[in-house]
Amino acid sequence: METKKQNKGGRPALDDPAKHRHVLYLNERDNARFLAQWEQSGVESKSRFIAARIFGEPFRVVKVDKKAVDYCTRLTEFYAQYRGVAVNYNQIVKALHSNFSEKKALAFLYKLEKATQELKEINAQVIALTNECKEQWLPK
């Protein structure tokens, strides 16, 4: 007969558990330097960060430019609004032709055309600024 292993519960045991603990004391200046380097590394655990430094693993620095992230977020929002205008454009033209006389519809279409040209110029400026931002700030 086979004997069944009884489940003890809890997490499964690791093959090579980390059992050894070392204590390190730092003064205020060194602690500030340590915390700055740890934050730049992007590693979540301080102990893994220390072990990586001791054993010579490469030091990875992750920097997030808040302004570039904000710019990309706002650009995405603007593009969504721009697409919304494009979707509504056809509906406006149909509504003008069905609800107004030919003369009034043409007058409104003329105003719509002017607003569309302004929107096109703004879009060209946004594209130019985005390309400038990409050239200047994004890594190559």
Side-chain angles (χ1 to χ4, degrees):
M1 268 198 322
E2 287 184 38
T3 58
K4 287 187 177 179
K5 279 189 173 180
Q6 238 183 345
N7 189 1
K8 294 181 181 180
R11 290 190 306 190
L14 297 174
D15 293 334
D16 187 19
K19 300 186 280 188
H20 305 283
R21 180 182 177 136
H22 300 277
V23 178
L24 174 70
Y25 293 100
L26 299 173
N27 61 23
E28 290 296 323
R29 190 186 82 235
D30 290 341
N31 188 51
R33 283 181 54 206
F34 166 73
L35 291 176
Q37 289 180 357
W38 172 63
E39 288 173 358
Q40 285 180 346
S41 72
V43 177
E44 291 183 19
S45 168
K46 289 179 187 174
S47 61
R48 289 191 183 180
F49 171 75
I50 293 169
R53 297 298 69 76
I54 290 172
F55 297 120
E57 293 177 12
F59 185 82
R60 184 182 68 154
V61 175
V62 177
K63 288 188 179 182
V64 177
D65 187 3
K66 301 270 186 204
K67 291 179 183 177
V69 171
D70 187 43
Y71 181 78
C72 289
T73 303
R74 291 181 186 266
L75 184 63
T76 302
E77 292 171 2
F78 178 75
Y79 184 69
Q81 290 177 355
Y82 192 78
R83 285 184 59 197
V85 169
V87 169
N88 292 331
Y89 193 84
N90 289 334
Q91 295 172 350
I92 291 170
V93 172
K94 287 179 186 176
L96 286 175
H97 281 297
S98 64
N99 296 327
F100 296 102
S101 66
E102 186 72 26
K103 194 173 185 181
K104 273 194 168 183
L106 286 175
F108 284 128
L109 283 174
Y110 178 74
K111 290 180 181 178
L112 183 63
E113 184 181 0
K114 288 286 189 189
T116 304
Q117 288 174 350
E118 290 176 18
L119 190 60
K120 180 182 173 189
E121 291 171 4
I122 291 171
N123 192 34
Q125 290 175 353
V126 168
I127 290 172
L129 287 172
T130 303
N131 288 337
E132 181 182 323
C133 178
K134 189 162 105 176
E135 293 281 325
Q136 193 172 20
W137 299 108
L138 294 181
K140 295 174 183 168

